[in-house]
Amino acid sequence: MPATMTNIMINAKQIYKSFGNLAVLKGVDLTVARSEVVVIIGSSGSGKSTLLRCLNHLEKIDSGDIAIENEWMVQNNADNQAIYQPDRDIKRICSKMGMVFQHFNLFPHMTVLQNIIEAPITVKKMKREEIIPIARELLQKVGLSNKENDYPSQLSGGQKQRVAIARALAMQPDIMLFDEPTSALDPELTGEVLKTMQKLAEDKITMVIVTHEMGFAREVADKVVFMDGGVVVEQGNAEDVLVNPEHPRTREFLSRFIS
């Protein structure tokens, strides 16, 4: 779907972010349309995960503009400084996004079902009897209907990550952010998580995914963004960027994945 003002879900412009003297993002632009799957690739340290964390306010940017569903979360002032909306507004804007991390961060003392319903009950004030059917539906979606009473210690890494995806979806976000969701998994467990994410793509959920899984990126991405050294070097559809990249840095990066 082509990006128009009415269907732009994420609009990030000229994002700069440093940690001390280390400049991590150096003027990054990113636009994500409704139902679009955007995959961000690049070497470790290229700024991919930092960009994702800036989008949902886990990190504050130094300068730039970020709008979520046409609502500004942060904008530059006349002195080129990033000015954020009040905390109450940021919390509401960020609630439109769900995030899945490399590590699952499940509560070890809670069952799978309890992990999924906790945030909707405590944050969204949903009633237990209201969220439980939704949680069970999500467990079915991620292929774990038979695990609702298990504890995280009884699950494989791939199962834990699928629970983490269901937990993020339980908050009913409009956008899902994934930060290298398979990097902590053994190769044999990676497939089941990627299959779950592929189903989400088929359901037309707007997604931004940081990953090293090039085959997955080629299969599901509407747009691939290659970052290197804190800048976007190249972006376009999956075929153009992954199969026929224009930039030498993109070609050099992708050559590592060709056996």
Side-chain angles (χ1 to χ4, degrees):
M1 183 187 289
T4 65
M5 281 312 293
T6 53
N7 72 2
I8 288 179
M9 301 294 274
I10 297 174
N11 186 11
K13 297 190 289 190
Q14 287 299 292
I15 304 301
Y16 285 83
K17 171 66 181 174
S18 295
F19 295 101
N21 294 323
L22 178 65
V24 179
L25 299 176
K26 308 169 187 174
V28 173
D29 293 340
L30 180 70
T31 303
V32 182
R34 186 180 303 279
S35 302
E36 192 173 33
V37 179
V38 176
V39 172
I40 304 175
I41 61 172
S43 302
S44 296
S46 60
K48 311 180 302 294
S49 294
T50 299
L51 175 60
L52 222 56
R53 292 173 67 84
C54 289
L55 293 178
N56 71 350
H57 198 239
L58 290 175
E59 300 287 354
K60 280 192 166 186
I61 65 174
D62 301 321
S63 66
D65 307 322
I66 299 174
I68 305 299
E69 295 188 59
N70 291 314
E71 192 170 5
W72 292 109
M73 179 166 71
V74 54
Q75 280 185 292
N76 271 354
N77 65 8
D79 298 322
N80 203 33
Q81 294 172 316
I83 304 299
Y84 279 85
Q85 296 286 1
D87 287 347
R88 183 185 65 252
D89 292 329
I90 287 177
K91 192 174 179 183
R92 179 177 49 74
I93 293 166
C94 288
S95 72
K96 299 174 182 181
M97 293 176 280
M99 186 152 180
V100 177
F101 300 88
Q102 295 178 32
H103 301 286
F104 330 113
N105 303 326
L106 300 178
F107 295 116
H109 62 290
M110 292 184 179
T111 65
V112 164
L113 188 66
Q114 288 168 336
N115 264 282
I116 293 171
I117 68 174
E118 177 68 14
I121 289 172
T122 57
V123 179
K124 296 186 83 173
K125 309 301 180 190
M126 291 180 74
K127 289 185 169 62
R128 186 181 168 85
E129 60 268 24
E130 185 185 0
I131 186 59
I132 282 180
I134 296 169
R136 287 186 171 140
E137 197 176 306
L138 290 170
L139 280 173
Q140 187 172 5
K141 185 189 281 277
V142 301
L144 293 172
S145 291
N146 61 335
K147 298 291 184 182
E148 70 170 65
N149 295 315
D150 286 12
Y151 287 87
S153 60
Q154 298 171 281
L155 304 178
S156 71
Q159 289 169 335
K160 288 177 189 173
Q161 193 60 294
R162 284 186 282 157
V163 173
I165 292 171
R167 180 180 60 182
L169 289 170
M171 292 295 283
Q172 299 172 316
D174 297 332
I175 303 161
M176 286 287 286
L177 308 176
F178 293 87
D179 187 9
E180 302 202 32
T182 60
S183 65
L185 300 178
D186 295 333
E188 63 267 25
L189 300 176
T190 295
E192 63 191 47
V193 174
L194 295 179
K195 196 177 295 181
T196 298
M197 293 168 64
Q198 193 161 0
K199 280 184 196 168
L200 298 183
E202 289 164 5
D203 289 344
K204 300 298 182 187
I205 292 176
T206 306
M207 296 194 281
V208 183
I209 305 165
V210 170
T211 186
H212 288 292
E213 300 291 338
M214 296 303 144
F216 170 77
R218 189 173 176 186
E219 212 165 312
V220 306
D222 297 305
K223 180 163 69 182
V224 174
V225 176
F226 170 62
M227 289 182 66
D228 188 44
V231 299
V232 172
V233 174
E234 186 167 350
Q235 63 178 302
N237 68 51
E239 190 75 14
D240 288 345
V241 176
L242 298 176
V243 181
N244 300 301
E246 292 182 1
H247 201 286
R249 281 152 82 184
T250 317
R251 289 197 291 270
E252 191 274 330
F253 170 77
L254 290 169
S255 69
R256 305 174 208 169
F257 295 90
I258 300 169
S259 53

PDB file of all heavy atoms in Angstrom, residues 57-73:
ATOM      1  N   HIS A  57       9.901   5.177  22.644  1.00  0.00           N
ATOM      2  CA  HIS A  57      10.271   5.986  23.814  1.00  0.00           C
ATOM      3  C   HIS A  57      11.044   5.218  24.881  1.00  0.00           C
ATOM      4  O   HIS A  57      11.142   5.656  26.026  1.00  0.00           O
ATOM      5  CB  HIS A  57       9.002   6.617  24.430  1.00  0.00           C
ATOM      6  CG  HIS A  57       9.300   7.772  25.337  1.00  0.00           C
ATOM      7  ND1 HIS A  57       8.922   7.776  26.667  1.00  0.00           N
ATOM      8  CD2 HIS A  57       9.945   8.942  25.122  1.00  0.00           C
ATOM      9  CE1 HIS A  57       9.333   8.912  27.228  1.00  0.00           C
ATOM     10  NE2 HIS A  57       9.941   9.637  26.304  1.00  0.00           N
ATOM     11  N   LEU A  58      11.617   4.066  24.512  1.00  0.00           N
ATOM     12  CA  LEU A  58      12.529   3.393  25.440  1.00  0.00           C
ATOM     13  C   LEU A  58      13.859   4.142  25.488  1.00  0.00           C
ATOM     14  O   LEU A  58      14.606   4.017  26.452  1.00  0.00           O
ATOM     15  CB  LEU A  58      12.741   1.931  25.029  1.00  0.00           C
ATOM     16  CG  LEU A  58      11.528   1.012  25.227  1.00  0.00           C
ATOM     17  CD1 LEU A  58      11.809  -0.367  24.666  1.00  0.00           C
ATOM     18  CD2 LEU A  58      11.127   0.925  26.694  1.00  0.00           C
ATOM     19  N   GLU A  59      14.158   4.868  24.422  1.00  0.00           N
ATOM     20  CA  GLU A  59      15.296   5.793  24.401  1.00  0.00           C
ATOM     21  C   GLU A  59      14.781   7.143  23.912  1.00  0.00           C
ATOM     22  O   GLU A  59      13.886   7.194  23.060  1.00  0.00           O
ATOM     23  CB  GLU A  59      16.404   5.313  23.449  1.00  0.00           C
ATOM     24  CG  GLU A  59      17.004   3.966  23.773  1.00  0.00           C
ATOM     25  CD  GLU A  59      17.916   3.983  24.988  1.00  0.00           C
ATOM     26  OE1 GLU A  59      18.187   5.085  25.530  1.00  0.00           O
ATOM     27  OE2 GLU A  59      18.362   2.898  25.390  1.00  0.00           O
ATOM     28  N   LYS A  60      15.339   8.225  24.453  1.00  0.00           N
ATOM     29  CA  LYS A  60      14.968   9.569  23.994  1.00  0.00           C
ATOM     30  C   LYS A  60      15.942  10.018  22.914  1.00  0.00           C
ATOM     31  O   LYS A  60      17.160   9.841  23.055  1.00  0.00           O
ATOM     32  CB  LYS A  60      15.011  10.552  25.168  1.00  0.00           C
ATOM     33  CG  LYS A  60      13.789  10.494  26.069  1.00  0.00           C
ATOM     34  CD  LYS A  60      13.772  11.694  27.012  1.00  0.00           C
ATOM     35  CE  LYS A  60      12.429  11.842  27.672  1.00  0.00           C
ATOM     36  NZ  LYS A  60      12.327  13.077  28.477  1.00  0.00           N
ATOM     37  N   ILE A  61      15.404  10.625  21.861  1.00  0.00           N
ATOM     38  CA  ILE A  61      16.265  11.115  20.788  1.00  0.00           C
ATOM     39  C   ILE A  61      16.826  12.491  21.163  1.00  0.00           C
ATOM     40  O   ILE A  61      16.295  13.178  22.033  1.00  0.00           O
ATOM     41  CB  ILE A  61      15.510  11.177  19.447  1.00  0.00           C
ATOM     42  CG1 ILE A  61      14.365  12.201  19.500  1.00  0.00           C
ATOM     43  CG2 ILE A  61      14.981   9.796  19.068  1.00  0.00           C
ATOM     44  CD1 ILE A  61      13.667  12.414  18.161  1.00  0.00           C
ATOM     45  N   ASP A  62      17.916  12.860  20.498  1.00  0.00           N
ATOM     46  CA  ASP A  62      18.526  14.186  20.717  1.00  0.00           C
ATOM     47  C   ASP A  62      17.874  15.241  19.833  1.00  0.00           C
ATOM     48  O   ASP A  62      17.653  16.373  20.254  1.00  0.00           O
ATOM     49  CB  ASP A  62      20.033  14.123  20.446  1.00  0.00           C
ATOM     50  CG  ASP A  62      20.729  13.113  21.340  1.00  0.00           C
ATOM     51  OD1 ASP A  62      20.363  13.022  22.532  1.00  0.00           O
ATOM     52  OD2 ASP A  62      21.619  12.393  20.843  1.00  0.00           O
ATOM     53  N   SER A  63      17.582  14.859  18.600  1.00  0.00           N
ATOM     54  CA  SER A  63      16.859  15.769  17.700  1.00  0.00           C
ATOM     55  C   SER A  63      16.139  14.937  16.654  1.00  0.00           C
ATOM     56  O   SER A  63      16.499  13.785  16.386  1.00  0.00           O
ATOM     57  CB  SER A  63      17.791  16.789  17.047  1.00  0.00           C
ATOM     58  OG  SER A  63      18.693  16.154  16.176  1.00  0.00           O
ATOM     59  N   GLY A  64      15.099  15.551  16.064  1.00  0.00           N
ATOM     60  CA  GLY A  64      14.295  14.857  15.064  1.00  0.00           C
ATOM     61  C   GLY A  64      12.828  14.901  15.427  1.00  0.00           C
ATOM     62  O   GLY A  64      12.435  15.477  16.442  1.00  0.00           O
ATOM     63  N   ASP A  65      12.014  14.304  14.582  1.00  0.00           N
ATOM     64  CA  ASP A  65      10.559  14.272  14.756  1.00  0.00           C
ATOM     65  C   ASP A  65      10.080  12.824  14.665  1.00  0.00           C
ATOM     66  O   ASP A  65      10.514  12.087  13.771  1.00  0.00           O
ATOM     67  CB  ASP A  65       9.845  15.070  13.656  1.00  0.00           C
ATOM     68  CG  ASP A  65      10.367  16.499  13.528  1.00  0.00           C
ATOM     69  OD1 ASP A  65      10.667  17.115  14.564  1.00  0.00           O
ATOM     70  OD2 ASP A  65      10.470  16.988  12.389  1.00  0.00           O
ATOM     71  N   ILE A  66       9.162  12.450  15.540  1.00  0.00           N
ATOM     72  CA  ILE A  66       8.528  11.128  15.461  1.00  0.00           C
ATOM     73  C   ILE A  66       7.025  11.306  15.647  1.00  0.00           C
ATOM     74  O   ILE A  66       6.572  11.870  16.652  1.00  0.00           O
ATOM     75  CB  ILE A  66       9.058  10.159  16.535  1.00  0.00           C
ATOM     76  CG1 ILE A  66      10.562   9.915  16.379  1.00  0.00           C
ATOM     77  CG2 ILE A  66       8.306   8.814  16.457  1.00  0.00           C
ATOM     78  CD1 ILE A  66      11.181   9.078  17.499  1.00  0.00           C
ATOM     79  N   ALA A  67       6.258  10.822  14.656  1.00  0.00           N
ATOM     80  CA  ALA A  67       4.800  10.805  14.765  1.00  0.00           C
ATOM     81  C   ALA A  67       4.319   9.364  14.638  1.00  0.00           C
ATOM     82  O   ALA A  67       4.818   8.602  13.801  1.00  0.00           O
ATOM     83  CB  ALA A  67       4.163  11.659  13.677  1.00  0.00           C
ATOM     84  N   ILE A  68       3.371   8.989  15.499  1.00  0.00           N
ATOM     85  CA  ILE A  68       2.751   7.677  15.449  1.00  0.00           C
ATOM     86  C   ILE A  68       1.277   7.885  15.099  1.00  0.00           C
ATOM     87  O   ILE A  68       0.560   8.591  15.813  1.00  0.00           O
ATOM     88  CB  ILE A  68       2.873   6.933  16.800  1.00  0.00           C
ATOM     89  CG1 ILE A  68       4.343   6.853  17.250  1.00  0.00           C
ATOM     90  CG2 ILE A  68       2.234   5.544  16.717  1.00  0.00           C
ATOM     91  CD1 ILE A  68       5.273   6.107  16.312  1.00  0.00           C
ATOM     92  N   GLU A  69       0.860   7.302  13.982  1.00  0.00           N
ATOM     93  CA  GLU A  69      -0.509   7.487  13.489  1.00  0.00           C
ATOM     94  C   GLU A  69      -0.892   8.978  13.430  1.00  0.00           C
ATOM     95  O   GLU A  69      -1.935   9.397  13.934  1.00  0.00           O
ATOM     96  CB  GLU A  69      -1.509   6.689  14.326  1.00  0.00           C
ATOM     97  CG  GLU A  69      -1.282   5.187  14.201  1.00  0.00           C
ATOM     98  CD  GLU A  69      -2.370   4.368  14.856  1.00  0.00           C
ATOM     99  OE1 GLU A  69      -3.542   4.521  14.463  1.00  0.00           O
ATOM    100  OE2 GLU A  69      -2.061   3.586  15.767  1.00  0.00           O
ATOM    101  N   ASN A  70       0.008   9.752  12.842  1.00  0.00           N
ATOM    102  CA  ASN A  70      -0.201  11.190  12.606  1.00  0.00           C
ATOM    103  C   ASN A  70      -0.298  12.015  13.890  1.00  0.00           C
ATOM    104  O   ASN A  70      -0.812  13.139  13.873  1.00  0.00           O
ATOM    105  CB  ASN A  70      -1.445  11.432  11.732  1.00  0.00           C
ATOM    106  CG  ASN A  70      -1.236  10.957  10.308  1.00  0.00           C
ATOM    107  OD1 ASN A  70      -0.205  11.226   9.711  1.00  0.00           O
ATOM    108  ND2 ASN A  70      -2.195  10.233   9.772  1.00  0.00           N
ATOM    109  N   GLU A  71       0.197  11.476  14.981  1.00  0.00           N
ATOM    110  CA  GLU A  71       0.210  12.214  16.243  1.00  0.00           C
ATOM    111  C   GLU A  71       1.664  12.368  16.691  1.00  0.00           C
ATOM    112  O   GLU A  71       2.359  11.375  16.909  1.00  0.00           O
ATOM    113  CB  GLU A  71      -0.606  11.462  17.299  1.00  0.00           C
ATOM    114  CG  GLU A  71      -0.878  12.283  18.524  1.00  0.00           C
ATOM    115  CD  GLU A  71      -1.886  11.619  19.460  1.00  0.00           C
ATOM    116  OE1 GLU A  71      -2.315  10.481  19.210  1.00  0.00           O
ATOM    117  OE2 GLU A  71      -2.220  12.262  20.460  1.00  0.00           O
ATOM    118  N   TRP A  72       2.107  13.609  16.820  1.00  0.00           N
ATOM    119  CA  TRP A  72       3.515  13.838  17.147  1.00  0.00           C
ATOM    120  C   TRP A  72       3.823  13.434  18.586  1.00  0.00           C
ATOM    121  O   TRP A  72       3.155  13.855  19.514  1.00  0.00           O
ATOM    122  CB  TRP A  72       3.880  15.317  16.951  1.00  0.00           C
ATOM    123  CG  TRP A  72       3.854  15.716  15.510  1.00  0.00           C
ATOM    124  CD1 TRP A  72       2.938  16.517  14.883  1.00  0.00           C
ATOM    125  CD2 TRP A  72       4.762  15.298  14.489  1.00  0.00           C
ATOM    126  NE1 TRP A  72       3.222  16.626  13.543  1.00  0.00           N
ATOM    127  CE2 TRP A  72       4.335  15.889  13.268  1.00  0.00           C
ATOM    128  CE3 TRP A  72       5.893  14.472  14.483  1.00  0.00           C
ATOM    129  CZ2 TRP A  72       4.996  15.677  12.064  1.00  0.00           C
ATOM    130  CZ3 TRP A  72       6.562  14.282  13.272  1.00  0.00           C
ATOM    131  CH2 TRP A  72       6.109  14.878  12.085  1.00  0.00           C
ATOM    132  N   MET A  73       4.836  12.591  18.725  1.00  0.00           N
ATOM    133  CA  MET A  73       5.341  12.222  20.048  1.00  0.00           C
ATOM    134  C   MET A  73       6.473  13.177  20.444  1.00  0.00           C
ATOM    135  O   MET A  73       6.606  13.568  21.606  1.00  0.00           O
ATOM    136  CB  MET A  73       5.862  10.772  20.042  1.00  0.00           C
ATOM    137  CG  MET A  73       6.430  10.303  21.364  1.00  0.00           C
ATOM    138  SD  MET A  73       6.640   8.511  21.417  1.00  0.00           S
ATOM    139  CE  MET A  73       8.014   8.263  20.291  1.00  0.00           C
TER     140      MET A  73
END
